[in-house]
Amino acid sequence: MTTPPPRWATAGSALLLATGLTALGLSPAAAHVTASSTTTAAEGWARITFTVPNESDTASTDRLELRLPADTPFSSVRVQPVEGWTAELTEEELPEPVQIGEGAITKAVTTITWTADAEHAIAPDEFQTFTVSAGPLPAEGTTLVMPVDQSYTDGRTVAWDEPAVEGDEEPQHPAPSLTTTAAEAEGHAHAHGAGESSADGSSHAASSTEASSTEETSPAGALTWVALVAGVLGLVAGVVALLRPRRRD
């Protein structure tokens, strides 16, 4: 006769699995499209990474449309290449010039659309990341809401566009967002590439498929790797605990 696992063992296994998923940035209940950044410091230049999980059991994600803030636009936008995906940057005239640093820009990248080929769509139970190099970030305390439309091969589109309000229950489809923090102290270089406002104030939004190689790596990047390793270890420990054969009487 097989002895059932004690309650504490089952609960412990579930806790390990949940801890692993949380460290990986996922939740057993829901996996939303989220945004993380190497920095949130005002006036800084950031690599913003959007994590896109596939929430369908039958269809794959083959298209994403990201809308960047138009009221606090970036003077420089670049995308990091993703194998099997093409990126299209749409630049538009701004309703009125926006002052950034010592100049003003009159147009900016407002939309980025990624499209997958047939072999690289995000399949069920998979996720993909999409990284954007952008800057400078606006003033401290600015919340950058960046809605994403996620399209599936069955024709369905999920709009991640609901703003999250502090103190309220999380919406069903929250929009990815970041809130800027205080600017770094003088003397900290903010690396950036082509695409910043020029001396005459015009904007040259870069459509390069290569992130700036001169950007500094933030400590947040190291923390991300630590969380990833912790998540993997948590998942492995949880699976081992669940599958371990039980002693017979």
Side-chain angles (χ1 to χ4, degrees), residues 6-245:
R7 238 179 192 176
W8 63 265
T10 304
S13 299
L15 178 60
L16 284 170
L17 285 170
T19 301
L21 288 170
T22 301
L24 286 170
L26 303 175
S27 164
H32 302 325
V33 175
T34 58
S36 60
S37 179
T38 53
T39 182
T40 55
E43 303 174 13
W45 298 76
R47 288 193 297 273
I48 306 172
T49 297
F50 297 87
T51 300
V52 181
N54 189 326
E55 294 189 321
S56 172
D57 294 329
T58 57
S60 299
T61 295
D62 60 355
R63 186 176 184 274
L64 295 171
E65 181 177 291
L66 166 68
R67 298 189 295 280
L68 298 175
D71 52 345
T72 54
F74 301 117
S75 64
S76 171
V77 176
R78 294 184 174 190
V79 295
Q80 180 170 293
V82 179
E83 183 180 1
W85 291 73
T86 57
E88 179 182 356
L89 283 69
T90 301
E91 187 179 57
E92 296 181 355
E93 293 285 341
L94 300 174
E96 57 184 29
V98 176
Q99 190 74 22
I100 296 181
E102 298 180 355
I105 63 173
T106 58
K107 57 183 180 179
V109 173
T110 56
T111 305
I112 303 175
T113 303
W114 286 274
T115 306
D117 62 31
E119 297 180 358
H120 291 85
I122 309 170
D125 299 323
E126 294 182 350
F127 75 95
Q128 181 59 273
T129 57
F130 300 84
T131 299
V132 176
S133 173
L137 299 182
E140 175 185 0
T142 302
T143 298
L144 301 172
V145 179
M146 296 167 284
V148 172
D149 288 340
Q150 180 179 9
S151 298
Y152 289 86
T153 52
D154 60 3
R156 184 169 60 98
T157 297
V158 177
W160 300 94
D161 59 358
E162 300 177 80
V165 179
E166 187 175 356
D168 290 355
E169 185 177 352
E170 183 183 58
Q172 184 177 3
H173 296 102
S177 63
L178 297 170
T179 300
T180 57
T181 53
E184 294 180 352
E186 290 295 329
H188 287 261
H190 299 291
H192 55 84
E196 63 178 297
S197 294
S198 60
D200 62 5
S202 60
S203 169
H204 302 286
S207 59
S208 167
T209 56
E210 162 178 45
S212 173
S213 61
T214 58
E215 289 182 288
E216 296 180 353
T217 301
S218 165
L223 292 177
T224 300
W225 280 106
V226 172
L228 179 62
V229 172
V232 172
L233 292 177
L235 286 172
V236 171
V239 171
V240 170
L242 286 173
L243 299 180
R244 181 181 300 158

